[in-house]
Amino acid sequence: MLLFLSVPQPRPPGARTRAGAARVARWRRQRLRLRLQQLRRLRGLLRGLRGRPGAGSRRRGRMALCGQAAGAASLPSELIVHIFSFLPAPDRLRASASCSHWRECLFYPALWPQLRICLRVSPTEQPRLEFLMRKCGWFVRELRVEFAAENYLSGGGGPGDGGGADTGTGGEEVEALQLSARWLEVLRTYLELVLCVLVSIRNNRNLQKFSLFGDISVLQQQGSLSNTYLSKVDPDGKKIKQIQQLFEEILSNSRQLKWLSCGFMLELVTPTSLSSLSNSIANTMEHLSLLDNNIPGNSTLITTVELERFVNLRSLALDFCDFTAEMARVLTDSNHVPLQRLSLLVHNVSVMHKSLDNMPNDEHWKALSRKSTSLRVYIMAFDIKSEDMLKILKPSIPLERIHFDSYITCVSGAIVDLISRQYDKFLTHFILMNDVIDTSGFPDLSDNRNEDPLVLLAWRCTKLSLLAIHGYTVWAHNLIAIARLRGSDLKVLEVTEESIDFDQGELADQDVDPVHNLIEQVSLGLGQPWHAVMDIESLSVFTEPNRHFYREMQSFSEDI
């Protein structure tokens, strides 16, 4: 703790005599100089403490000789705020418990330019969120909020809490109707938390970055199930309407907004939301992300006409079915700055309800690449059939990252081979996830092929730095080949233990433990220690694919 000292103040000599007036003035000037010296000494002390942790203990004894120590509560607010600025957020909160004066300085606007919150959808979070947003919501410049429902829903088997029992097709219909109070509470709490965030920032004109993510995929997994819950929690639709109006009010009141990102937020963004943005804000927006696989029919969250206003857009994230050939043409106009990052979500729900006929063709992708030579694309595909992927994967897409996540439809070896041939100059991230129940039936991509497609991918894609696989058979000798081909350039190689298989003929010829030999050979190839992933639940890319894609999209867009 710092000790701040004050000098005793004796009565000025000769203060009661007329002759002593000059001495009083001279004494006051000396006192002022002494205080300036104290301030300079204090500033030097703070610099020393910042650079040398042990400097304060060495000086404390010398400073104590100068006068009587003052309490920490007597420090000026500006000095406390300056001290707080060097502390991380948790330490600021602990320091604010010292006294009421320090607590008042805790939420000074300069200390909280950005706020990143990850919330469990739980009633216990609401008081804390209300306090934090009441203090910071009106001035924060960058706000990122993530709502996580999976912590609340773990351990249950569905609306009827039926566990993992196989109830059959008829049982699923009954289960969807048996709405448990626990699940209803999740959605009710979610709406309250969203309202709390939006109300607190409705008049914030300093907001520059605004990101919202609502991980309620469990509720949306069965499509209309979320609407059934909403009809119970919000029967007249007042809360949903209030949420949508608040969101549009935030957009209309914004004066400095550069970054707007909404991912999987239930009933938040509507096709008319972006019209609330003024032309001046739309013209200066740099990032726009609108992801929601629950939009019915042919509705889109942004139209081509609306996109024409965003002339300064450098990164964009949309549902693939919403990104049409007309949008690609707009982005190539001379009045638009070159687009540098494009993230596209291909979801089986969207493909079922929307057409792929309006997607950009290869000529549109060539025009986009000519407009911006630094354009890179990130695609995530949820349960997409191989024939649809063949339509989507145009040769001229500058594809840097691709993530497959399947529950029903598996990726074929032909698709992996096509990716390795078409995008060998750009591809850096390749993720292949298959959530199958029967672990003995993992598909083998190398069936009826002379070469394994994954090995060819590692050979052709010289920039590959991340490879993650689960739910597909990966032969041990092929895994060793991948590690040797890419070497230390392959920064991340994540393969689950149950996905690795060993050739029986090779096992008969080896005298060593095959697992130990695999670990040793892959580690040598990569130039770093390597182990197979033992616990699949530790992989967020597997357990939380929506959240993983959203976070990766954010970092992908920021890395310009």
Side-chain angles (χ1 to χ4, degrees):
M1 179 180 292
L2 301 180
L3 298 179
F4 296 93
L5 312 176
S6 60
V7 178
Q9 302 175 9
R11 181 184 299 275
R16 291 190 177 182
T17 64
R18 186 178 300 176
R23 286 194 297 273
V24 170
R26 190 163 52 251
W27 175 82
R28 287 176 177 169
R29 287 194 297 269
Q30 291 174 351
R31 181 183 173 191
L32 180 59
R33 280 197 298 268
L34 182 59
R35 289 197 173 185
L36 289 174
Q37 290 174 0
Q38 284 182 308
L39 287 175
R40 292 192 189 99
R41 193 179 296 116
L42 176 60
R43 194 185 321 175
L45 174 63
L46 289 175
R47 289 201 187 106
L49 286 175
R50 194 186 315 167
R52 296 172 297 165
S57 60
R58 292 194 298 270
R59 296 187 184 185
R60 191 175 296 120
R62 287 180 291 171
M63 290 189 64
L65 299 175
C66 300
Q68 184 179 357
S74 63
L75 292 177
S77 300
E78 292 80 2
L79 185 57
I80 298 173
V81 170
H82 184 68
I83 295 172
F84 278 175
S85 66
F86 296 100
L87 301 177
D91 290 342
R92 290 179 202 167
L93 294 174
R94 295 188 191 99
S96 67
S98 301
C99 61
S100 59
H101 182 43
W102 282 46
R103 198 155 46 247
E104 291 171 1
C105 298
L106 175 63
F107 292 102
Y108 192 79
L111 295 175
W112 303 93
Q114 61 181 13
L115 200 59
R116 301 186 180 186
I117 309 171
C118 185
L119 291 168
R120 292 182 300 109
V121 181
S122 168
T124 58
E125 297 281 8
Q126 189 167 350
R128 286 178 268 185
L129 179 65
E130 288 177 350
F131 171 79
L132 190 60
M133 297 308 300
R134 184 173 65 253
K135 293 289 186 180
C136 301
W138 61 277
F139 62 76
V140 66
R141 293 180 180 273
E142 178 182 344
L143 178 62
R144 294 188 180 186
V145 184
E146 294 184 7
F147 300 94
E150 77 284 351
N151 294 317
Y152 211 70
L153 301 175
S154 60
D161 286 334
D166 186 7
T167 56
T169 305
E172 290 179 359
E173 296 176 359
V174 174
E175 184 179 296
L177 296 175
Q178 295 174 348
L179 305 176
S180 67
R182 177 169 161 268
W183 281 60
L184 288 172
E185 182 64 22
V186 169
L187 190 53
R188 186 179 295 109
T189 304
Y190 166 78
L191 295 178
E192 291 295 334
L193 294 177
V194 174
L195 277 172
C196 175
V197 172
L198 298 182
V199 168
S200 64
I201 63 171
R202 64 193 302 179
N203 296 317
N204 185 346
R205 302 199 172 195
N206 297 319
L207 197 61
Q208 297 178 2
K209 284 189 174 184
F210 185 34
S211 301
L212 287 175
F213 172 78
D215 189 8
I216 52 172
S217 56
V218 177
L219 296 178
Q220 294 186 12
Q221 209 169 47
Q222 301 183 32
S224 61
L225 183 63
S226 59
N227 295 327
T228 306
Y229 277 100
L230 279 177
S231 65
K232 297 291 183 180
V233 174
D234 188 26
D236 51 5
K238 286 185 178 180
K239 282 191 175 180
I240 290 296
K241 188 66 176 176
Q242 184 183 1
I243 287 173
Q244 293 171 353
Q245 288 176 348
L246 282 170
F247 182 69
E248 293 178 2
E249 186 178 347
I250 291 168
L251 297 185
S252 62
N253 289 337
S254 62
R255 294 295 180 268
Q256 303 181 41
L257 195 62
K258 304 289 185 184
W259 181 291
L260 178 62
S261 181
C262 291
F264 311 104
M265 293 293 296
L266 182 63
E267 301 288 342
L268 175 67
V269 186
T270 66
T272 60
S273 295
L274 289 182
S275 60
S276 303
L277 281 171
S278 64
N279 286 330
S280 60
I281 296 299
N283 291 341
T284 57
M285 188 81 72
E286 297 179 356
H287 170 83
L288 180 63
S289 170
L290 300 175
L291 300 169
D292 191 349
N293 53 30
N294 203 40
I295 298 298
N298 293 321
S299 300
T300 59
L301 296 179
I302 183 172
T303 62
T304 304
V305 176
E306 195 68 55
L307 186 62
E308 291 177 351
R309 297 199 299 154
F310 295 84
V311 295
N312 202 45
L313 213 57
R314 287 173 169 80
S315 60
L316 177 66
L318 292 175
D319 188 291
F320 183 85
C321 294
D322 293 344
F323 186 68
T324 62
E326 278 299 306
M327 285 189 177
R329 182 195 59 78
V330 167
L331 293 172
T332 57
D333 287 346
S334 58
N335 63 327
H336 279 254
V337 301
L339 189 71
Q340 299 187 43
R341 296 291 183 270
L342 178 61
S343 302
L344 298 171
L345 174 66
V346 193
H347 202 285
N348 65 330
V349 175
S350 298
V351 173
M352 281 191 300
H353 293 93
K354 300 176 183 179
S355 174
L356 292 175
D357 297 336
N358 297 323
M359 66 179 178
N361 58 32
D362 199 51
E363 292 301 320
H364 292 116
W365 285 110
K366 287 181 180 178
L368 278 171
S369 298
R370 284 194 299 268
K371 172 76 173 180
S372 174
T373 56
S374 59
L375 175 65
R376 296 294 180 266
V377 177
Y378 178 17
I379 292 179
M380 181 169 188
F382 278 101
D383 259 333
I384 304 299
K385 298 177 181 178
S386 294
E387 53 266 30
D388 290 329
M389 286 306 303
L390 291 173
K391 297 177 185 177
I392 291 169
L393 295 174
K394 304 298 182 185
S396 299
I397 298 177
L399 185 66
E400 183 177 286
R401 305 183 184 193
I402 190 162
H403 178 177
F404 291 100
D405 198 287
S406 305
Y407 296 92
I408 302 171
T409 305
C410 295
V411 176
S412 65
I415 295 296
V416 178
D417 185 63
L418 178 69
I419 290 172
S420 66
R421 284 187 286 105
Q422 291 189 165
Y423 312 116
D424 55 308
K425 296 180 180 179
F426 303 104
L427 193 70
T428 62
H429 291 56
F430 187 83
I431 299 175
L432 199 58
M433 293 287 152
N434 184 25
D435 186 14
V436 294
I437 298 176
D438 185 8
T439 56
S440 63
F442 285 164
D444 185 1
L445 297 176
S446 62
D447 272 353
N448 302 319
R449 291 178 175 273
N450 294 328
E451 297 291 342
D452 184 87
L454 294 172
V455 175
L456 291 176
L457 181 85
W459 175 55
R460 292 168 176 159
C461 301
T462 56
K463 294 184 178 179
L464 190 68
S465 61
L466 184 148
L467 179 63
I469 303 170
H470 169 71
Y472 294 86
T473 299
V474 182
W475 295 100
H477 60 275
N478 288 332
L479 191 57
I480 295 172
I482 291 171
R484 290 174 176 174
L485 283 168
R486 291 275 52 86
S488 59
D489 292 334
L490 188 59
K491 305 299 182 184
V492 178
L493 177 60
E494 292 182 336
V495 183
T496 54
E497 182 191 26
E498 57 263 44
S499 300
I500 301 174
D501 204 349
F502 295 87
D503 186 88
Q504 297 300 320
E506 293 182 2
L507 289 178
D509 299 334
Q510 290 183 4
D511 297 331
V512 298
D513 178 21
V515 176
H516 177 76
N517 180 66
L518 172 67
I519 294 173
E520 182 181 5
Q521 293 300 321
V522 173
S523 299
L524 285 173
L526 296 177
Q528 60 179 343
W530 178 88
H531 291 277
V533 178
M534 307 298 290
D535 182 14
I536 185 61
E537 297 300 322
S538 64
L539 284 178
S540 63
V541 66
F542 175 77
T543 57
E544 304 172 278
N546 282 350
R547 185 189 299 275
H548 177 84
F549 172 67
Y550 184 78
R551 289 180 174 176
E552 286 294 305
M553 178 273 297
Q554 296 273 88
S555 61
F556 178 65
S557 299
E558 290 173 340
D559 185 24
I560 298 178

